[in-house]
Amino acid sequence: MTFEDYLVRAYQEGDGAALFRAVDESREHLRATMPWIDSHDSPEASEAVTRQIMARFLSNQDFGLGIWNQGHLVGGTGFHMRVGDPETANTEVGLWIHASHAGKGLGKKVLRAMLEWGFTEWGWYRIVWKCDSDNLASAAVARSCGLVEEGRFRQDRIKPDGTRIDTLVFAILAHEWRIRR
């Protein structure tokens, strides 16, 4: 999928070096809300993760995608099967943005594009978005794209510093998205 100057596509063999570079350059920016970053401690480790993402994509278990701009990986997104599966047509959208692109509206653009793509070509019925309760920017992105806050999982996650944090849950249904569109 393309929008503006961005390409959102499935990871491919050899993308590990770009993934490592993007994560490494954004490590401090991502650390508080993305605990998976520690698995990216070398280009080889990121290539192994990339291959796992590819395998899960090909087996319809999860659909991780990279966000590319002028040949550079500037973030990641995807349709994740943590809240459903293709049979129920429920999915979760995840998103992270490279530190140099954060705070410039890219998250909102990507989420809007993912909703469009998800409800049209992918055929999802319900799309969920989750974020830490202290991630105000992520919650604002969800709200600005029309997702409804459905709830709060109280102190369900442990942050890297050992403190507990709530998770906010947002969702939008296909017919709600069509009305907003």
Side-chain angles (χ1 to χ4, degrees), residues 56-125:
R56 293 177 57 79
F57 194 107
L58 292 172
S59 62
N60 290 331
Q61 295 176 344
D62 197 79
F63 305 100
L65 306 162
I67 305 165
W68 300 83
N69 179 254
Q70 299 177 2
H72 298 283
L73 185 66
V74 297
T77 188
F79 296 117
H80 305 297
M81 301 296 92
R82 297 183 280 242
V83 297
D85 55 47
E87 289 180 20
T88 63
N90 297 335
T91 191
E92 178 183 339
V93 168
L95 178 64
W96 65 272
I97 301 293
H98 189 288
S100 68
H101 292 261
K104 299 177 182 176
L106 180 57
K108 188 185 301 185
K109 291 176 186 177
V110 171
L111 180 55
R112 283 186 179 147
M114 291 295 287
L115 294 174
E116 170 87 23
W117 199 28
F119 287 130
T120 57
E121 295 184 41
W122 284 75
W124 299 116
Y125 176 77

Side-chain angles (χ1 to χ4, degrees), residues 103-163:
K104 299 177 182 176
L106 180 57
K108 188 185 301 185
K109 291 176 186 177
V110 171
L111 180 55
R112 283 186 179 147
M114 291 295 287
L115 294 174
E116 170 87 23
W117 199 28
F119 287 130
T120 57
E121 295 184 41
W122 284 75
W124 299 116
Y125 176 77
R126 173 182 162 84
I127 297 179
V128 173
W129 174 277
K130 295 179 186 174
C131 64
D132 288 356
S133 59
D134 64 357
N135 191 340
L136 302 179
S138 184
V141 165
R143 288 183 183 106
S144 71
C145 291
L147 282 78
V148 175
E149 186 174 340
E150 293 185 333
R152 174 185 293 256
F153 296 147
R154 298 179 309 135
Q155 298 186 8
D156 70 316
R157 285 195 347 104
I158 300 174
K159 294 176 72 166
D161 67 5
T163 60

Side-chain angles (χ1 to χ4, degrees), residues 13 23 31 45 89 123 146 169 171:
E13 188 174 336
V23 169
R31 181 165 306 286
V169 180

